[in-house]
Structure formats: C-alpha cells, structure tokens
Amino acid sequence: MPTIAVDKARLFNALGRDYTKDEFDELCFDYGECPTLQARYLSVVLTQDIVVGIELDEDIHIDQLYDLLCFEGIALNLQVFLQRRELPDFKLVAPPNGALETVVVQPETAQIRPLFTGAVLRNVKFTKDRYDSFIALQDKLHQNLARQRSLVAIGTHDLDKIEGPFSYEALPPEQIRFQPLNQQEAMNAREMMDFYEKDRHMSRYLPIIRDSPVYPIIYDSNRTVLSMPPIINGDVSKITLDTRNIFIDVTATDRTKIDIVINIMVTMFSVYCEEPFTIEPIEIKSPHNHQGGQAPNLSHRSFDAEVAYLNSATGLSLAPAKMCELLKRMGLSSEPSKEDPKGILNVSVPPNRADILHQADIMEDLAVCYGFNELPRERPFLRSITFAAPLPISKLADIARYAAAKAGWTEVLSLILCSHDENFAWLKRKDVNPDGSGSLAVRLQNPKTSEYQVPRTSLVPGLLKSLNANAHHRVPMKIFEVSDVTFKDLKKERKARNQRNFAAAFCGKASGFEQVHGLLDTVMDELKCPFLTQSEVTAKSEDGKPKHQFGYWIEISDEAMFMPGYGAAIRVRQDGEVETIGTSGVLHPDVLKSFDIEYAVSTLEINLEGFL
C-alpha cells in the first residue's frame, strides 16, 4: 500500500478548519476507512508526528485509489465529501491561437512501447510544496499502477524550453545521444545503460528496454531530446519552480493504464493553472496503429445502477432522488433514468475516478455517503450477506483427514511441483494418458530447476520424499496426505483439471500392508462405503442387476510400482457402475532405491471425488 506525507496544517487549511486527532479519525472513518473495514479510501496511521521546521506531517495510507496519491487529490475529495464544494468540471481548452501541440508517433515504436498520449498545463504556479507533490505523484504512479515503469512511463517538461511539433521514435541505442537529467555530459543510450547500472534508483528500470534492438526516444522539432522512456528525461527540458507551461508525455504498452495515468496527472494538478481545472489537449498522429487523435480524453463514463440492488446491498430503502443527492458527496453526478425513473440510476463517473468499474462500486460509495454507522443492522440487511461455507470436496477431504488422524497417522503437506522422474520413472510408471490423448502430466514451460518440472499426478512421490527427509526418525512411520493432483485434460477449457486424492504410506521393518489396508477400511467406513466380499460383488438380484449397488473391494493389480503379487486395485460400485478409484500395495525395491529409503514401504492412494 503506497504511503504519502501530507502536511496537516496545509490539509486542514484546505478543509476550512482544524481537527483534533479524534475528529480527524472520525472524518476518515466516515469517508470509508477504519482498521477493520477496508472500503474506500483513507486509512490514517497516527504515528508520532514528524516535526519539519514548524510543520507537522502525518502518514496517510491509500488503498490503490489513484486520485488519492497526492495532497491535491485528498484535499479535493474531502472538500467534496464535506460539501464545501462540488467536484470541478475538468475542461479541455485549446490555446488562444487554436494550434495544438502535435506529436507524430513513428511506426518503429511498435517494437518497444507502442502507445503515446500527453497534455499541456498552461500558466501553472508552482511553490515548493506543489512542485514536490507533482514529482511525488509521478513516482507513486510509476511504482504502483505502472508496475515499476514497465507498463507506463511519465515524462514532464518545461514547454518554454522546447518547440513542437514533437516526434516519438524508436532508434538503435548507438544513434541516441543526449545529456541526461542532472548530468553534465552527453552520452549515447548504450553508455547510459552502463552509467546507470550502479545507480540504486535507476538500475531497476534498465532491463525494461536494455535488450531491445531499438530504444524509445522523444524529440522536439530541433531534435532536442525530451526523454528516453522509461529510463530518463533530457536535461534541457527539466521543470523547475519557475516553470509555467508543462508538457506531459506518457508512453505505455497498456491502453487502459495510459489513459488512467494521464487523466490522474492533469485532473490533480490543473488546479494550479491560471484558469483552474483547464487542460490543453495535444494532437497525436499515429496512422500506423490508428491510435491518433486529440488527447487526453476527459469525457465522463456512464453506468446504470439498479435502485433495488443499491438498497438491497446496503439494507436501505432510499428513493432514487435521495441516492442522487448522496452520491454527489463522492463526486458522482447521477439522475433517475428517463426510461425507468424508479428502477435505474444513470451515473456519470468523472475522469479522476478510475476505480469505478461496476455498480457494486457505486453501491459502496452510496454506503459511505449514508454513513457506515447509520446502516441498518437488523435481520433484513443480512439477505445481502454471503455466509462462508466449505466446498463439498473440502468437507469430504476433512472426513478422510480426521479418520486417518484418529487412527494414529501423521499428516504431511508436500510440494505440489516435483521432477518428471520422481512422478513417473522412479515409480516405474509411464507418462501416458489412459485415454490415449498423449501425456498425463502438465509440464512447466520454463522450470527454474529440474526438481520443479511438473505438477504431481500422484501424492505418493511427496510421501516418499517425506519419509526420506525423516529417515533419522525411528520406525515405523505412518504418514498421510489429502491434497490435489493435476492431470492434463484437453476436454477442459484450460486443458487441465485438479483432483482431490487421499494417500498414505507405512514405513517399517515389515511391509505393513495390513496397516494401510486397515486405514483404507477406516476411511471407507467414515465415508459410509461398505466393504463387499467376493460373493457380495458377484451376487445378482432377480432382475439380473448387481444385488449390492454401493460398496468397495480390492483386486490383484499388476502395477509395476508394487512388488509382483503385492499390489491391489481398489474398486468401487456406485449405482451399478464400477470404477477403479485407487491402488494399494508393497512398493518395489527399485522404487525404494530411487527415493533412497532403507525400509519396506506400503502405500495407499484413492480419488475422493468419486464420493461426492
């Protein structure tokens, strides 16, 4: 969660009054935050005040709400919430001569960072606090939404030091040469990579473009470099406290994020323009990818919210007109739909509210405006609450888990990933799907080590590795595991499926096959699945159908992982259908040798999902 420093005196001045600690706590709670309720927006950590001269700073934590990543956004939103003002109407205003600044995007940029947008803020009045907040907002957006500049990079420039039209290009690094920000000498892009390699702050961004054959670069009409995104700006166009006109460039690989970033930048800091909340658009020419036109796009987004849903989710019974009145406090303008004035609200979302994605977000804002402490707590409200409950397969797994634990077996939890050999060759198995559709296991494309090549298709390798790791313990050892295994399944949407298995292993001086067989009987008894004798398996009713429709039995298995004559297949009949749900037996000496186990081991593994 990003943290920003807010000057309390400056913030309280913007809010029109001073607040005590408790009063400010209450305000932030009303706005939607408390230690146990993570709704929107302000979560205040009232640590020891930091004295800077005569100023008091206070840390405010922001829960990924991008319009609250700077002082300006916090002050504006709280002013609107306290009804000291309405949310301003952000306007795009062309310069007096009508000629917009132009940026030409070259086709080569598609190889590295294909998207470009920008804007101009005219006649800005900077102070030290405003300038610091402007720079800090860029850094917060870079670290969070922009994912360390890998998705979006922001550049800000003194427009009076450069001259349009501008050109966004992609060139080989040897052909790019300029003086980087706050440096005394010019260097080419390759030299910059070496120069900033030792810089703790800049070195983290170098891998984003270092291995690309071309680097992105922005020039003005005189071939002065504005920036080489996402690494560094040029020194010529750097902004200072005396800067009056700011050109903002934003390059990206993600269309949604580039729009959010430019909108947050201009809506937060257009307040300092000579005509507040006005933004000068730019003209982008990018015919090769059809991403041209005027930018930024500050149009409002429209949402339809169901009145019944808003009332049901909050437990309220508000009229549409009252809802519209309350939503104004969160900067959302709304009105009853003309087609269905009693059932639908038409909500207009301003460009600074990128967090509104669904009517559920509107419902949350409505609850904030109404007041969390005022929401009804009687029974009707509970119909909007989902009560947590375990999945049926999890309840079934717990039944098997408790049965094994009560029988004196110890539960283990092994890693999901293993090597291909551990899963197949060491168990004398082949990676072949029984239906003939190819391999059984899902393979990782780029495994970090040979130990983590495939998600396991059996719990047995994990049990045997656990026995090996605990070889210093005295025998016998009785362990079990209830967990998922994974199989390739081309019939599924994601071409794979999980299956919940139960497995156990007995390790001792004797094979202990009777031990795992006894555990099987115990687990099956808990699952209410009776054991069928051979005569009961073959018994028929008068209509020729099996007399016993539900139950299990074991048959001799020739599976190679077991010693010849010491393996068993576990068979289950349900509603007359018979299937093999698992295997049990005494492991072959070759298997024990592969896992470096000195004692005899018997194992059991069954598929629990057949009992759902």
Side-chain angles (χ1 to χ4, degrees), residues 164-186:
F166 304 98
S167 177
Y168 176 43
E169 305 175 12
L171 300 173
E174 292 77 15
Q175 297 181 22
I176 298 173
R177 187 174 184 83
F178 66 98
Q179 182 179 337
L181 184 67
N182 297 328
Q183 299 302 319
Q184 302 300 317
E185 298 180 1

Side-chain angles (χ1 to χ4, degrees), residues 21 35 57 110 120 267 282 287 346 362-363 416 438 455 479 571:
K21 175 184 179 296
D57 287 349
V120 174
T267 55
I282 65 171
N346 296 141
I362 298 170
M363 176 274 295
I416 295 174
I479 60 175
R571 307 272 281 170

Side-chain angles (χ1 to χ4, degrees), residues 517 520-522 524-525 529-533 537 550-554 570-573 581 611:
H517 192 178
L520 172 65
D521 291 340
T522 300
M524 288 299 194
D525 185 58
C529 182
F531 179 78
L532 300 181
T533 64
V537 171
F550 183 57
Y552 80 98
W553 67 95
I554 61 174
I570 303 166
R571 307 272 281 170
V572 169
R573 178 187 291 148
I581 65 165
F611 296 96

Side-chain angles (χ1 to χ4, degrees), residues 207-225:
I208 300 174
I209 65 171
R210 172 186 283 159
D211 296 329
S212 173
V214 293
Y215 289 3
I217 191 77
I218 304 173
Y219 291 104
D220 76 350
S221 59
N222 298 316
R223 302 300 285 178
T224 299
V225 171

Side-chain angles (χ1 to χ4, degrees), residues 266-476:
V266 298
T267 55
M268 295 299 98
F269 284 91
S270 57
V271 63
Y272 300 132
C273 293
E274 191 171 60
E275 184 180 351
F277 306 111
T278 60
I279 300 98
E280 181 181 315
I282 65 171
E283 183 70 28
I284 300 174
K285 296 182 178 180
S286 184
H288 66 281
N289 60 3
H290 308 290
Q291 297 290 329
Q294 285 192 12
N297 178 11
L298 297 181
S299 59
H300 288 218
R301 294 176 293 132
S302 297
F303 287 84
D304 288 341
E306 300 172 0
V307 173
Y309 168 76
L310 299 179
N311 276 327
S312 174
T314 57
L316 302 173
S317 300
L318 301 178
K322 181 62 175 178
M323 291 181 177
C324 296
E325 180 184 339
L326 289 173
L327 288 173
K328 284 184 179 179
R329 297 183 62 191
M330 302 304 286
L332 303 179
S333 59
S334 57
E335 62 180 5
S337 169
K338 295 180 180 178
E339 292 78 14
D340 186 4
K342 294 185 179 181
I344 299 293
L345 289 186
N346 296 141
V347 183
S348 179
V349 178
N352 63 308
R353 290 297 304 276
D355 59 297
I356 301 293
L357 302 173
H358 187 271
Q359 66 172 349
D361 301 310
I362 298 170
M363 176 274 295
E364 184 181 354
D365 278 6
L366 179 67
V368 170
C369 298
Y370 190 84
F372 286 125
N373 282 330
E374 304 301 323
L375 292 175
R377 301 180 184 182
E378 62 269 15
R379 191 71 187 174
F381 179 51
L382 297 180
R383 68 180 181 269
S384 65
I385 298 176
T386 299
F387 291 94
L391 294 172
I393 186 62
S394 297
K395 294 177 68 175
L396 193 66
D398 284 343
I399 292 173
R401 179 178 288 114
Y402 296 150
K406 287 188 293 184
W409 294 64
T410 301
E411 185 174 14
V412 299
L413 187 64
S414 59
L415 297 176
I416 295 174
L417 297 177
C418 62
S419 74
H420 190 271
D421 283 346
E422 289 171 346
N423 199 75
F424 293 103
W426 289 12
L427 295 180
K428 301 172 73 68
R429 288 175 170 172
K430 295 182 179 180
D431 186 7
V432 178
N433 203 315
D435 63 8
S437 60
S439 62
L440 185 66
V442 176
R443 279 184 174 269
L444 274 65
Q445 186 172 12
N446 295 301
K448 189 174 181 64
T449 70
S450 60
E451 292 183 281
Y452 308 118
Q453 294 174 322
V454 296
R456 60 193 176 188
T457 62
S458 169
L459 299 179
V460 172
L463 294 176
L464 297 181
K465 290 166 72 174
S466 297
L467 292 174
N468 172 270
N470 291 276
H472 57 285
H473 285 282
R474 65 181 182 181
V475 293

